[in-house]
Amino acid sequence: MWFFSELLVHGMLSGSIYALISLAFVVVYKASRMINFALGEFIMLASKLVATGLNAFGLGVLGGIGFGCAGMVAFAIGFNRWVLRRLIGQPLISFIMVTIGLGVFLRASTVFVFSGIPGSIQLPIEQEPIRLMGLLISPDELITAGIAIITITAVALFFQHSRTGVALRAIADDQQAAMLVGIDLNRHFTITWAIAGTICVIAGTLWTFISGGGFSLILVGLKVFPIVIIGGLDSIPGVIIGAIFVGILESLAAGYIDPLITGFSRVSAYLVLLIILFVRPYGLFGKPEIERV
């Protein structure tokens, strides 16, 4: 029973990090209906920028995160201005291919741009396990989960209550209607990508701290797709629930099934994804698009 409880808690803590990473995907999709296939590379670039500020420039943890946020916001603004604006009115496949190409470019270029700079990120957190109600919990997982929950809550409140958040929700519902009432699409798309870049900085920093950097950052970006489809592409609460579910599923599979079937935990989320696609193609909490003919 204790083993099951530890797996359950560990899965919930991992799921909170997955939810934060998935949030960067949903923020872009909600505003622009654009699927970012370079999310893993965005997170990798963000973590590299933070590591550069921390290890190369000696800015400290907060300075490194600030340096990473500034770099990702500048990158997001440039990407939106010089690439995405030229694709307005083009088929969706054009956006998809651009993000795939961008991901390949980032994966190759970061090797040369950040060569010689240590990619590790150390946060001032004690490593001694904490005993909570008889369960041993790693403090780094506990604190990173708390930071992830605070970030997700802040973004959700921003979308619900701020003027810009309401405008972004209006754009997500109907871009043409939003333009007719005076909402500047280009400006708000830029804000959307800047928010996504900032989320990638926080997510990349936390994931690098608890799991290491490198190629694992790109792989965790791939885990986003079953999560957002299970929860619903346009639903922040759905993505949070989907991320927690996937985290618990992987933890339980690693504890009980991996000793019998090696690597099952890595594909368990994709098996659930196939089932969801047959039952509810738009996700558990997603809204089906209904069009009049």
Side-chain angles (χ1 to χ4, degrees), residues 47 119-121 204-217 220:
S47 70
S120 61
I121 299 175
T205 301
L206 296 178
W207 186 265
T208 302
F209 172 65
I210 63 175
S211 300
F215 196 67
S216 67
L217 290 167
V220 76

Side-chain angles (χ1 to χ4, degrees), residues 72-258:
M72 287 303 296
V73 168
F75 176 78
I77 291 174
F79 178 61
N80 180 74
R81 176 171 298 178
W82 292 310
V83 179
L84 295 183
R85 282 188 182 183
R86 304 177 186 274
L87 295 176
I88 294 178
Q90 299 299 317
L92 179 61
I93 187 64
S94 301
F95 290 90
I96 294 176
M97 295 306 298
V98 164
T99 59
I100 292 176
L102 178 65
V104 174
F105 172 77
L106 290 177
R107 200 180 310 169
S109 60
T110 50
V111 176
F112 299 98
V113 175
F114 298 98
S115 62
I117 300 176
S120 61
I121 299 175
Q122 296 297 325
L123 301 180
I125 299 175
E126 294 291 337
Q127 299 297 317
E128 189 69 23
I130 300 173
R131 184 173 293 276
L132 183 63
M133 298 179 64
L135 301 176
L136 288 177
I137 301 176
S138 176
D140 54 357
E141 286 187 337
L142 190 62
I143 293 176
T144 53
I147 296 173
I149 292 171
I150 293 172
T151 305
I152 293 169
T153 303
V155 173
L157 291 175
F158 169 80
F159 268 92
Q160 289 294 327
H161 300 291
S162 71
R163 185 181 180 89
T164 302
V166 173
L168 290 174
R169 286 160 52 200
I171 293 172
D173 288 336
D174 193 323
Q175 292 186 8
Q176 291 184 348
M179 291 176 62
L180 291 175
V181 298
I183 297 177
D184 187 341
L185 293 187
N186 287 325
R187 175 174 174 270
H188 284 84
F189 284 163
T190 301
I191 294 173
T192 298
W193 282 94
I195 293 173
T198 303
I199 295 173
C200 286
V201 170
I202 300 174
T205 301
L206 296 178
W207 186 265
T208 302
F209 172 65
I210 63 175
S211 300
F215 196 67
S216 67
L217 290 167
I218 300 175
L219 294 179
V220 76
L222 295 177
K223 291 185 179 182
V224 166
F225 298 107
I227 290 173
V228 297
I229 294 176
I230 290 172
L233 283 169
D234 56 353
S235 173
I236 291 179
V239 166
I240 295 172
I241 295 174
I244 299 298
F245 171 77
V246 169
I248 294 174
L249 176 66
E250 289 185 346
S251 181
L252 294 178
Y256 290 109
I257 303 179
D258 274 4

Side-chain angles (χ1 to χ4, degrees), residues 18-60:
Y18 290 162
L20 180 60
I21 297 172
S22 303
L23 185 63
F25 181 97
V26 176
V27 163
V28 172
Y29 183 82
K30 279 181 68 68
S32 62
R33 288 297 186 264
M34 179 177 175
I35 299 175
N36 182 14
F37 281 96
L39 180 59
E41 287 77 9
F42 269 60
I43 296 173
M44 178 186 66
L45 175 61
S47 70
K48 291 290 186 181
L49 289 172
V50 174
T52 300
L54 182 63
N55 300 321
F57 297 148
L59 300 177

